[in-house]
Amino acid sequence: MVPEMDTGKSRDRVFFDAVLHPHRSLSPNGFRLLMGLIAIAMFGVGTAFMIFGAWPVMGFCGLEFLLLYVAFRLNYRSGRAFETVRLSSSGLDVRRYSPRGEVGSWHLEPSWLRVTMDEPPRHDSRLTLASHGRSLAIGAFLTPEERLEVARSLRSAIDAYRTAPDPAAG
């Protein structure tokens, strides 16, 4: 994670602060176990075919295992992406971190911010933040239920932001 520099905003009141990560159902130990079992199974199939004279099948089993391993590794690599959403008295900041470490950053004014999400959520429902003609979809890698939970929490935080007394006015 990228360390944040102190910009004088450390006294900001925080209404919402979330880090959104993609869900991965298979742990690293589970991945190793699965790959081990698949390797044993493919070696067994390849050996059986080799005994019956179809020796090229052994090479194809190895290639198939390699492709499966690469596909899993690419999936885990995409799981390193995440987003941070922070609503404070200075505004709404969204940062999107790619698997390669590239960072996209957006600042939205929460006074006019609309949070839209289908209820009940569908698989293709998008969680969208819109303000002053700009819109940003967040949490695309979350399940529809998780996106709805984030949308509800963010709406509550925006309501709290809008009703909070302005410390600069007092």
Side-chain angles (χ1 to χ4, degrees):
M1 188 179 251
V2 178
E4 299 210 14
M5 297 179 60
D6 184 17
T7 59
K9 297 181 181 181
S10 58
R11 292 183 203 92
D12 282 347
R13 180 173 172 199
V14 176
F15 296 92
F16 183 84
D17 196 4
V19 178
L20 310 177
H21 289 278
H23 177 69
R24 293 294 180 255
S25 59
L26 191 60
S27 69
N29 286 336
F31 171 71
R32 285 190 282 280
L33 178 64
L34 179 66
M35 286 291 105
L37 291 174
I38 291 173
I40 290 169
M42 289 201 174
F43 183 75
V45 168
T47 302
F49 274 92
M50 200 163 74
I51 289 171
F52 291 117
W55 56 267
V57 173
M58 180 66 100
F60 285 108
C61 285
L63 181 62
E64 190 174 19
F65 176 78
L66 180 65
L67 290 174
L68 185 65
Y69 177 81
V70 168
F72 266 103
R73 295 307 302 170
L74 289 173
N75 181 288
Y76 273 106
R77 184 178 179 276
S78 71
R80 292 192 308 228
F82 66 97
E83 296 173 349
T84 61
V85 182
R86 182 181 176 94
L87 175 63
S88 67
S89 55
S90 64
L92 179 76
D93 292 307
V94 177
R95 288 197 178 139
R96 185 172 292 151
Y97 296 83
S98 77
R100 287 182 258 164
E102 299 162 340
V103 180
S105 183
W106 296 267
H107 180 80
L108 299 169
E109 173 55 45
S111 298
W112 307 104
L113 187 67
R114 286 185 332 270
V115 179
T116 57
M117 174 76 188
D118 294 336
E119 287 193 47
R122 297 184 317 268
H123 179 70
D124 61 344
S125 296
R126 292 177 40 162
L127 170 55
T128 306
L129 310 175
S131 178
H132 290 82
R134 294 174 45 198
S135 66
L136 175 66
I138 62 170
F141 45 75
L142 300 175
T143 65
E145 292 77 21
E146 291 170 330
R147 285 193 297 269
L148 182 59
E149 181 182 337
V150 171
R152 288 177 176 164
S153 298
L154 190 53
R155 284 181 193 131
S156 296
I158 290 170
D159 288 342
Y161 169 87
R162 290 176 181 156
T163 59
D166 185 10

